[in-house]
Amino acid sequence: MKICILPGDGIGPEIVAQALRVLEALDLRFEMEEALLGGCAVDATGDPFPEATQRLALAADAVLLGAVGGPKWDVLPRALRPERGLLGIRKLLGLFANLRPAVLYPELANASTLKPEVVSGLDLLIVRELTGDIYFGQPRGIEKRELDGVEQRVGVNTMIYSESEIRRIGRVAFEAAKKRRRKLCSVDKINVLETTQLWRDVMNELSPDYPEVELSHLLVDNAAMQLVRAPKQFDVLVTGNMFGDILSDEASMLTGSIGMLPSASLDETGKGLYEPCHGSAPDIAGKSLANPLATILSAAMMLRHTFVLEEAAQRVENAVKSVLRQGLRTSDIYQPGTTRVGTEQMGDAVLAAL
Ligand code: IPM
Ligand code: MG
């Protein structure tokens, strides 16, 4: 069980350190090796996704990632930015299936900006396609063209999906729904975009293979609205790379804190990259303010999806629930009447609960 550890930038190293303590406490004989991805890799090697990291990531069974990026590197040319490292590792490892659960823990019902009755008991899963769509489509770029009778700069990106790409993410979503409340909602924009008409057609074609799952469809603008109007109507949502990027940030906020949400990005064989949904938060880095729970929960997803250690995964998740019940909170989820703790103290508490 080889794990490639990529702490990354900003708060990445602090939160990954806490997740590693939890993994080590499970005493499961993981082989772990650390490497550079993102801004720290740019600083050390000039490349956000250096070859040594590529080799290690390819050889590992799973990758645990903190977060990448920060204003320091935003001035660099596009190809050298930390985000390029993230897109690069997703593509290189073929991590097409991004699972982003949004679960509201009862103790945090008041942390949401939505009314508690709208969000309490929320438990939905966004299945986002991660290696296609406008993120990777060609042609792309900024070029000079004659348009509207003038030679000017035009920006070009291409939204493109093949039916095989849609089918494989569709199968992941139907399978996930089968194990949950058996409701799948596919999100598209068929009133405008042909790519997404194909998306809906392929989802409909898959549906007879999963008679136990109820398939529905929503246009993305309506889906965005429904997510804040009545989010509990959803069980599993499946959508393309760009819509999934946007809707998963929206869904995360229903739960009150993006600091609580893990994610998994899987290939066809169960190999995966696991990372918290939040970013590198450079403004709070090194201040012991970061919430390590999303990374700890990402490690639990790794136990479940790559190593098929369901019991260990649940042990970790139960430990997290237990510290919340004890009233321990990092600053991002702090409320009067609870106990404010730092990053490492939160790790201590999860270990104690384990
Ligand atoms: C995410 C992020 C990335 C994405 C960025 C950092 C490239 O927003 O994982 O959701 O757009 O996929
Ligand atoms: Mg995003």
Side-chain angles (χ1 to χ4, degrees), residues 68-69 82-84 86-87 90 98 100 128-130 135-136 241-242 244-246 248-249 263 265 275-279:
V68 300
E83 290 78 9
R84 192 52 76 86
L86 190 56
L87 297 178
R90 288 173 180 170
N98 184 210
R100 298 191 166 183
R128 169 190 176 194
E129 201 290 330
L130 204 59
Y135 270 53
F136 294 94
N241 204 345
M242 183 156 75
D245 178 43
I246 299 165
S248 61
D249 261 30
S263 78
S265 307
E275 58 174 323
C277 279
H278 60 71

Side-chain angles (χ1 to χ4, degrees), residues 294-313:
T295 316
I296 291 170
L297 291 169
S298 299
M301 287 188 92
M302 176 170 81
L303 296 168
R304 171 171 299 123
H305 293 285
T306 293
F307 298 120
V308 201
L309 294 167
E310 178 61 31
E311 215 183 283

Side-chain angles (χ1 to χ4, degrees), residues 284-297:
I284 60 164
K287 297 183 182 159
S288 196
L289 288 171
N291 184 346
L293 294 179
T295 316
I296 291 170
L297 291 169

Side-chain angles (χ1 to χ4, degrees), residues 156-227:
V156 182
N157 286 98
T158 304
M159 185 177 232
I160 178 168
Y161 265 124
S162 68
E163 59 177 315
S164 53
E165 284 177 303
I166 302 169
R167 207 170 289 122
R168 68 177 183 177
I169 192 69
R171 291 210 179 278
V172 170
F174 274 105
E175 289 294 339
K178 221 164 106 176
K179 292 188 202 133
R180 295 170 47 101
R181 301 192 302 278
R182 295 185 292 282
K183 274 171 56 182
L184 177 61
C185 178
S186 171
V187 177
D188 58 44
K189 186 70 185 172
I190 59 156
N191 52 350
V192 183
L193 302 170
E194 286 81 357
T195 323
T196 73
Q197 177 67 59
L198 180 67
W199 180 281
R200 188 179 289 206
D201 293 347
V202 172
M203 291 296 161
N204 281 329
E205 289 157 21
L206 284 174
S207 184
D209 289 352
Y210 303 89
E212 61 278 73
V213 176
E214 179 201 317
L215 174 69
S216 61
H217 304 275
L218 274 184
L219 298 175
V220 63
D221 46 353
N222 189 8
M225 180 180 77
Q226 296 299 335
L227 268 175

